[in-house]
Amino acid sequence: MKPTHVILSASALSLAAALVTAPAAAQEETPAAGTTVLDRIVISAGKEKVAIDTPQAVTVVDQEDIENEQPTTVGDVLTDIPGVKAVGSDRVLGESFNIRGFGTLSSSDEYRLIVTVDGAQKFHEQYRLGSLFTDPELYKRVEVLRGPASSTLYGSGALAGVINLTTKDASDYLREGEDFTFREKLQFNDNRGGFLTSSVVAAEPVKNLELLGSFIYRRSDDFKDGNGDIIPSSAFDAPSGLVKASYRFGADESHRIKASYQHWTTESDGENFSQTDSTAGFGTIDRTVVDQTAIVGYAYTPDNPYIDLDTTLSYTNSQVEQRNTSRTSTSDLYADADYAYEIWTASGRNSMEWSGDNFSNVFISGLEFAYQTRTADNLRDADGRVTFHPGGESKRIGIFAQNEWVYRDRLTLIPGIRVDHQTLEPGSSVAVATSDVSHTGVSPKLAAHYKLTDNWGIFGSVSYTERMPVLDEIYDANSSNLNLDPEKSLNYEGGVSVSFRDVAVQKDAITAKATVFLNQVEDLIDRASSSSTYYNVGESEIKGIELESSYNATYTFARAAFTMIRGEDKTDGSSLNSIPADELVLTLGGRVPSENIEFGWRGVFADEQHRVSGTTDQTGGYVVHDVFASWKPQDGYLEGAEIRFGIDNLLDKQYREHLSDDAAKGRTFKLTLAKQF
C-alpha cells in the first residue's frame, strides 16, 4: 500500500470522528464564537438555511475565504471543496471544472454543470480552451451545489451540479455612517512576477441607492513548476471591471431595482494554441478574449407572506478572436476566426410562506426562458464555416416548482419538479443537417432531513434529470447525430450531520457532514474520437463519499474535506477517465483576536489515480503544504488596512493533479496589501 493511501485512509477515519475541517478560516473580521463553516447560510438551494441542515451537498465559500486564498483563477477558490476540482490547466484561458466526476475538457462536458454569475448563466466551449473567463477578485461569495438535485431550480441536465458566483456590493464596503469609501488593494506573487491592483469605489449618495465601481488589473509572466521549468504561454494581462447599482423604494422599501455590468478581457500574441496543456504541436496564435455579463432586475417583497418576487433579465457573451496561426494547414482549426456564445435569459421566481401550530411551509415557483446563439465565423472560407464548431441557436423554456415543508422543526421534506423544453436550430453555415431538433427534459426530486436530536441529523434525496443534446452533438460536420436521446441521470444520496457546542472550551463549535451518493446515467452521450459520430452509451455509474468537518473557537480553527469517487462504464466495465484522485485537505490555524491576526497551515494529501482506461495516463500521489497569515489592524494609522501573506507549495513539490494536463505551480510566495479610506 502506498504511503499516501495510508494517510488518506487514516485521515478518513479521523474525519468520521468529526474533528477538523478545510480552507483558511473564513468568518467575519472576528469570527463569532460557536460558528463554523458548516453554519454558513445557504441562499441558492431554496429557503435560506445553514449548510449543515440542507438535505443536499452544498458548500459556501465567503469573501474571507477568497481573500485568504489570494487566488488567480476561480479554480483556486474551489480547491478545498469536497467533490470539486478545476481541470485543464492553471492558465486563465485553460480552466474548466469537475464536480463529482463530471467534467473534462472534451466537447459538451460543460453542459453537464451550470455556472452562474449573480443568477446569469455563463457558458463557453471551444477546442483547447477553458470554460469560464473572469477574475475572482470580483466575487464575495461562491456556492457549490453538488449533484443533479440542483436541476430543479437551475435547469435540466445539471448532472454534476451548480456553481453560483456572487459579485460584491457597495454595502460590502460602506461602514456604518458612511456614504462614500475608496479601497485600494495590491497583490504580488513571485511565480513569476504575478501582480494585481484592485480599486473600488462604493457610495450611497441618497438613502437606499447603492453604487459600486471596481477596476482590476492582473498580470503574470509564464509561471514555473516544482522543477523550475516554465509552463509555456501561461503569461497574461487581464484588465476587468464591474459597475453595479441598486435602489430600494416604496412602502417598507419593498421594491428593489438592480443593474450591473461586468467586463473581462485579455489579449496575447504568439501564445500556444492549446491553453489546456503544454502541447506545442498546435503551434502559436494571436488571441483576444472578451467576456461580458449584464444584468437588470426587479424584486418585490411586500409585507405579504405570499409574495416574494424576483425577476431578472441578463445577457452574457464570451467571445474569442483568433488570428495569425504559426501552423501551415488547411484545417479550420487554424483559420482566422471569431467565436462567440451569447445567452439572453429572462427569469422570474416567487416564494410563498405559510405556517400552522407545528409546521411551516415555503413554496417556490418560477419560469425561465433562455436564448443562446453560438457563432463561429471562418474568415478565410467563403461560407464562413467552421466545420467542427457548428453555429446555431438554442431556445429553452423551463417551469419549476419546489415545496419545503418543516414539521416541528425536526422533519423537512422538499419535493420539486422542473420541465424544460428545448429547440435547436442550425446556423446558416451548417451543411450536415438543416432541420430543427426539439427535446423535453424532466427533473423531479424528493429530499428529506430529520433532526434525530439537537446534535444529530440524517438526510437523503433521490433525484432524476435529463440532459438534452446540444448543438455540438447534433450538428457537428464530422460527428453529428440527429437521433440522439437525452442523457438520463438517477441519483441517490444520503448522509449524517452532527453539531456540538462548548466541546473543548467555552463557546467553541464542531460540525461535520458526511454524504454518500450513487449516480446512474443511461444514454450517456459520447464518441470514440474527435471526428467520430456522437452516440448514446448504455449505462455508466459514479458513486462516492464526501466528508467535511469544521471546528471553530476563539483562538483556534480547523477544517477537513475528504473526497473519494469511483466511476465505471457499465457496458464494458472500464473506468471513467473523468474521476479525480482520492483527496484529503486539512487546515489548522490560530488567531490573536486582540490584534486581529490569523495564521495557519493547509495540507493536501492526494492518492495515486490508477483507475483509468484507454490512453489516459495514471498519476502518482502527492502531499503539498501551504501556509498563510493575515493581519487587520484595528486602530492607528493602519486602521482599515489588511496585510496577507501566504506560501503555496511550501516544499516546491513537483506534481500533477490527475485532471490537469500540466504540472502544478512550484513554490509561490504571495503578499496582499489593502487599505480602505
Side-chain angles (χ1 to χ4, degrees), residues 543-613:
K543 55 189 176 183
I545 300 172
E546 297 166 347
L547 302 171
E548 52 187 329
S549 55
S550 175
Y551 176 78
N552 193 49
T554 303
Y555 299 101
T556 59
F557 61 89
R559 296 191 203 171
F562 176 72
T563 305
M564 183 174 68
I565 302 175
R566 301 290 182 264
E568 180 183 357
D569 184 338
K570 303 298 287 186
T571 60
D572 59 13
S574 62
S575 296
L576 299 179
N577 288 322
S578 59
I579 306 301
D582 298 347
E583 184 179 85
L584 170 70
V585 182
L586 293 175
T587 299
L588 303 174
R591 303 188 184 97
V592 183
S594 61
E595 301 297 330
N596 222 358
I597 292 174
E598 188 172 281
F599 55 89
W601 159 87
R602 177 173 58 217
V604 178
F605 304 84
D607 203 356
E608 63 180 14
Q609 178 57 296
H610 57 83
R611 301 173 185 86
V612 297
S613 60

Side-chain angles (χ1 to χ4, degrees), residues 281-475:
F282 292 94
T284 62
I285 202 164
D286 299 344
R287 183 181 278 134
T288 300
V289 179
V290 177
D291 190 274
Q292 301 167 285
T293 303
I295 299 170
V296 294
Y298 167 74
Y300 180 48
T301 54
D303 186 17
N304 183 329
Y306 302 112
I307 302 176
D308 186 349
L309 179 65
D310 191 3
T311 62
T312 300
L313 174 65
S314 66
Y315 168 78
T316 66
N317 184 18
S318 298
Q319 58 189 56
V320 178
E321 177 186 288
Q322 296 185 170
R323 302 287 189 274
N324 304 323
T325 178
S326 66
R327 280 283 301 267
T328 302
S329 173
T330 58
S331 170
D332 291 349
L333 188 66
Y334 305 105
D336 288 356
D338 295 329
Y339 300 87
Y341 287 89
E342 298 176 272
I343 306 175
W344 287 92
T345 305
S347 63
R349 177 185 300 194
N350 185 63
S351 297
M352 305 169 61
E353 296 190 35
W354 63 91
S355 60
D357 292 338
N358 51 22
F359 78 93
S360 62
N361 200 89
V362 177
F363 179 73
I364 301 172
S365 59
L367 180 69
E368 181 181 70
F369 175 76
Y371 172 67
Q372 181 192 78
T373 61
R374 171 184 171 127
T375 58
D377 296 329
N378 185 339
L379 303 185
R380 76 179 181 192
D381 186 279
D383 296 327
R385 182 182 304 153
V386 179
T387 55
F388 61 87
H389 194 104
E393 299 177 354
S394 171
K395 299 175 183 177
R396 177 175 55 84
I397 185 168
I399 185 170
F400 60 89
Q402 176 174 296
N403 193 74
E404 183 168 337
W405 180 71
V406 181
Y407 180 68
R408 294 187 180 276
D409 291 326
R410 289 288 184 187
L411 174 64
T412 300
L413 294 177
I414 307 178
I417 190 169
R418 182 185 183 108
V419 179
D420 285 290
H421 181 76
Q422 171 186 278
T423 299
L424 304 180
E425 301 177 12
S428 58
S429 63
V430 172
V432 193
T434 57
S435 59
D436 297 352
V437 176
S438 296
H439 291 96
T440 299
V442 181
S443 301
K445 75 173 181 184
L446 176 62
H449 184 280
Y450 184 70
K451 290 184 178 180
L452 299 170
T453 68
D454 290 340
N455 305 114
W456 291 87
I458 57 174
F459 61 91
S461 69
V462 57
S463 58
Y464 174 84
T465 191
E466 296 174 338
R467 205 273 294 183
M468 296 172 283
V470 296
L471 289 164
D472 268 14
E473 298 155 340
I474 296 294
Y475 299 118

Side-chain angles (χ1 to χ4, degrees), residues 87 109 124 192 275 300 303 321 325 370 402 518 611 656:
V87 302
D109 261 8
H124 180 268
R192 299 175 53 212
Q275 286 290 292
Y300 180 48
D303 186 17
E321 177 186 288
T325 178
Q402 176 174 296
L518 171 64
R611 301 173 185 86
R656 179 174 72 86

Side-chain angles (χ1 to χ4, degrees), residues 168-175 178 181 183 200 202 212 676:
K168 297 172 181 176
D169 292 297
S171 57
D172 297 317
Y173 295 98
L174 292 170
R175 293 164 291 202
E178 285 186 331
T181 191
R183 184 176 188 263
V200 177
L212 175 78
Q676 185 163 335

